[in-house]
Amino acid sequence: MSESSVIDSAPRPFVEPRPRIQRRQRNESLYRQGLDAGLSELQARLLAGRLVDYEGELEPLVDPSLRYLVHPERLADAPRAAERIARAVAEGEHIGILTDYDVDGITSHVVIRRTLNELFGVPASRLHSLIGHRIHDGYGISLPLVERTLRLSPRPSLVITADCGSSDEARIARLKQAGIDVVVSDHHALPVEGPPPSAYATVNPTRQDCDYPDATIAGCMVAWLLMSLTRQALIEQAVLSPSTPKLSPWLSYVALGTVADCVSLGASAINRAVVRHGLAVINRMGEPCWRVMAERLGADSVPFDAETLGFQMGPRINARSRLDDPYAALHFMLASDDSVARRHLETLDADNQSRKAIEAEMVADAKALARVALEADDPMIIVHLEEGHPGVQGIVASRLVQAYGRPTLVLTPAAEAGMLTGSGRSVDALHLRDALQRAYQLAPDALVRFGGHRGAAGVGVVQSRLDAFRGAMLTAVREQLGERELVPCIDTDGELSEQQLRLETLVEIEGLGPFGREFEAPLFEGRFVVERLKPVGDGSHLSLELSCQGLTLKAIWFRCLTPGQLPDFDVGATLHCAYKLNRNRYRGRETLQLMVEHADPVD
């Protein structure tokens, strides 16, 4: 054997894939429509780059308004559900409120509880909050949560779910046998069998027989619509006065849940409207939870925007439910004065710090395990972290999707012996819940539980059948994706001129908000010379001064270094950067700052 053939056959070291910076595709028809409607060139470019296949009206997206909400009567089963809730209110029944433990579930819980108590006059003593513990109880209407409900005295005769329940027929049947009616309100994809037959009513916009025009609304919005319809029913029955306040103030909670649950803020006029209106309510700072959060984040955090909800409030509420008892998050949102809210926020903050430490360790472990899938060019990464924390699976999966551009499922041991629990995150091209449905057809003895939607899902897998599940899942993903190239990509909105690198451009951009999933905050690209650099914080962030065409700007690049590590470039280097514009406030003065998302040295 020749020396060259030995060298050629030697295994090559693994090389971490570098993200590809690329410009977004553009909907040319929408671009021209935007210009004709009076949008600036930049605004039209941003809009057309986010709604590539959109063919609808422009105004509902660029001028979100509550006039675009659709009447809740168009939700299948909603009138029947509202009638049952109205009867429980009128007859003084005990009512259970059973919701998921994430932000969408917690905000749904607040909407339902505050409506029943403050608007409908149901005493707090007749309301029972039922939220499962992520680790000990599991998702949805779990068996432990059913047992807890049945032990209540007095026992509720009605349970209203939110953000869960569509896939929980067996547990709903158990409650029905005990004489408890269950009204399901949810937004997750239903099983192929359809709505749970034992439920009194199932209100879910993803039902095939549902006439509601937007299936992307969050669970908290479904709950808000259902309670709005119940208010109407109670007024028609003369149980409530026609002057009973509407639920509009509760859209503050719906905005938080909508953003944090990562439902679409793109072509959904309804989601865009409730987030914009909800932010306006939040920024009045009328509730302790908003005031105390603003106090914690600092005066420069106000006014809140969608990014504040998604990256500041959402993670703190989710951290509690990921690691421990979720009721502290509920108590924070329901706090009646600032001191109570402040005390609960301390708990949420501490949990969030713990979550970050656990996340960092799990991400490192997951990336090491992911190399096998990457070297095999598998279309999906499935990793089993034998000592991983189940509460952080979803975040870790998201980090791997960002790093490798492939759908990812992270599994950890479940409380139930012999079982694994997992959370998955997808890429735009893959409908994750559909892939799981197909994997279940291929290996029903391996995948015993699953639920979710296009972009995220949860699973229960038999540990001894992990290889069978992995094979079935990879087959299901290949069937959807075909030969599609899977690489980490950073989509940008192109370059900005020197004249556009100013605060006025931020005002122009903000006029298109809110930004979120499928309507991402603008990200630009350009070449800059490094004039100064300095690691800051714990050593993982980089403070920069970048120059372009004679203009020098301050920039920050978060989490780009391992503490103690130096960047692979120095002063004088030219960088191809992907960046966002940011308003930096300091002592009442505002300046433009670049938020670097990724940078490659230019040869």
Side-chain angles (χ1 to χ4, degrees), residues 271-284:
N271 288 340
R272 293 185 63 74
V274 299
V275 172
R276 177 173 283 192
H277 181 85
L279 281 166
V281 176
I282 289 169
N283 285 314
R284 295 172 196 152

Side-chain angles (χ1 to χ4, degrees), residues 27 29-51 54 57-64 272 276 500 507-513 515 519:
N27 182 332
S29 174
L30 190 61
Y31 177 71
R32 292 191 297 271
Q33 191 179 346
L35 292 176
D36 292 344
L39 298 182
S40 70
E41 189 283 330
L42 178 59
Q43 289 176 323
R45 188 203 318 175
L46 297 177
L47 192 69
R50 279 149 186 75
L51 301 168
Y54 185 71
E57 294 182 34
L58 188 66
E59 187 178 359
L61 305 185
V62 299
D63 185 24
R272 293 185 63 74
R276 177 173 283 192
Q500 288 176 307
V507 176
E508 194 178 335
I509 290 170
E510 289 163 351
L512 277 184
F515 296 98
F519 203 83

Side-chain angles (χ1 to χ4, degrees), residues 468-589:
F469 166 70
R470 180 182 279 109
M473 197 66 198
L474 291 177
T475 297
V477 172
R478 285 192 184 98
E479 289 176 357
Q480 275 199 52
L481 296 182
E483 298 301 316
R484 183 183 299 269
E485 184 184 18
L486 295 170
V487 294
C489 294
I490 297 175
D491 294 324
T492 79
D493 296 290
E495 298 184 5
L496 293 177
S497 68
E498 179 184 351
Q499 292 72 30
Q500 288 176 307
L501 290 170
R502 56 182 184 170
L503 281 172
E504 288 78 3
T505 302
L506 260 179
V507 176
E508 194 178 335
I509 290 170
E510 289 163 351
L512 277 184
F515 296 98
R517 182 167 180 260
E518 297 180 4
F519 203 83
E520 296 81 5
L523 184 68
F524 303 102
E525 64 178 284
R527 295 193 174 198
F528 298 87
V529 176
V530 179
E531 303 293 346
R532 187 186 66 84
L533 59 84
K534 178 185 177 182
V536 294
D538 63 358
S540 66
H541 315 309
L542 199 58
S543 175
L544 299 154
E545 283 187 7
L546 303 175
S547 65
C548 172
Q549 306 174 44
L551 181 68
T552 300
L553 296 161
K554 292 187 181 297
I556 185 77
W557 188 0
F558 289 117
R559 294 177 295 278
C560 63
L561 300 173
T562 300
Q565 170 195 12
L566 293 175
D568 58 358
F569 56 85
D570 208 337
V571 171
T574 298
L575 300 180
H576 182 200
C577 296
Y579 66 92
K580 295 178 180 178
L581 300 183
N582 181 57
R583 181 181 283 103
N584 186 34
R585 298 185 180 100
Y586 183 69
R587 294 182 176 177
R589 183 169 175 262

Side-chain angles (χ1 to χ4, degrees), residues 46-237:
L46 297 177
L47 192 69
R50 279 149 186 75
L51 301 168
V52 177
D53 300 316
Y54 185 71
E55 297 179 349
E57 294 182 34
L58 188 66
E59 187 178 359
L61 305 185
V62 299
D63 185 24
S65 167
L66 296 186
R67 68 179 179 273
Y68 298 115
L69 298 193
V70 178
H71 199 283
E73 281 186 343
R74 290 182 62 181
L75 283 162
D77 250 6
R80 176 174 168 82
E83 174 275 327
R84 180 64 185 90
I85 298 170
R87 174 153 51 93
V89 171
E91 297 181 3
E93 297 179 43
H94 282 255
I95 302 172
I97 307 167
L98 192 157
T99 65
D100 191 16
Y101 39 65
D102 67 359
V103 182
D104 193 12
I106 295 294
T107 52
S108 300
H109 205 111
V110 174
V111 167
I112 296 171
R113 189 177 181 97
R114 289 198 68 175
T115 301
L116 290 170
N117 180 234
E118 299 175 34
L119 301 187
F120 299 173
V122 180
S125 60
R126 291 183 186 163
L127 298 176
H128 305 272
S129 291
L130 300 161
I131 309 174
H133 190 291
R134 185 181 190 122
I135 299 169
H136 303 313
D137 299 329
Y139 168 76
I141 309 177
S142 62
L143 186 58
L145 210 50
V146 168
E147 298 295 344
R148 193 187 312 167
T149 303
L150 296 178
R151 287 196 301 268
L152 288 172
S153 182
R155 182 186 290 178
S157 50
L158 171 67
V159 167
I160 307 168
T161 83
D163 195 34
C164 65
S166 294
S167 300
D168 295 326
E169 162 58 22
R171 273 77 64 198
I172 294 172
R174 176 84 179 274
L175 292 171
K176 182 179 180 180
Q177 289 167 3
I180 299 174
D181 289 337
V182 179
V183 167
V184 171
S185 75
D186 194 8
H187 72 131
H188 294 97
L190 288 126
V192 292
E193 299 82 16
S198 296
Y200 185 90
T202 299
V203 184
N204 186 326
T206 70
R207 286 179 57 152
Q208 290 188 350
D209 61 344
C210 185
D211 187 44
Y212 201 77
D214 191 344
T216 73
I217 58 176
C220 52
M221 185 59 183
V222 179
W224 187 89
L225 289 167
L226 175 58
M227 299 312 290
S228 296
L229 191 60
T230 303
R231 172 187 172 274
Q232 177 182 312
L234 287 165
I235 290 172
E236 290 172 355
Q237 296 168 17

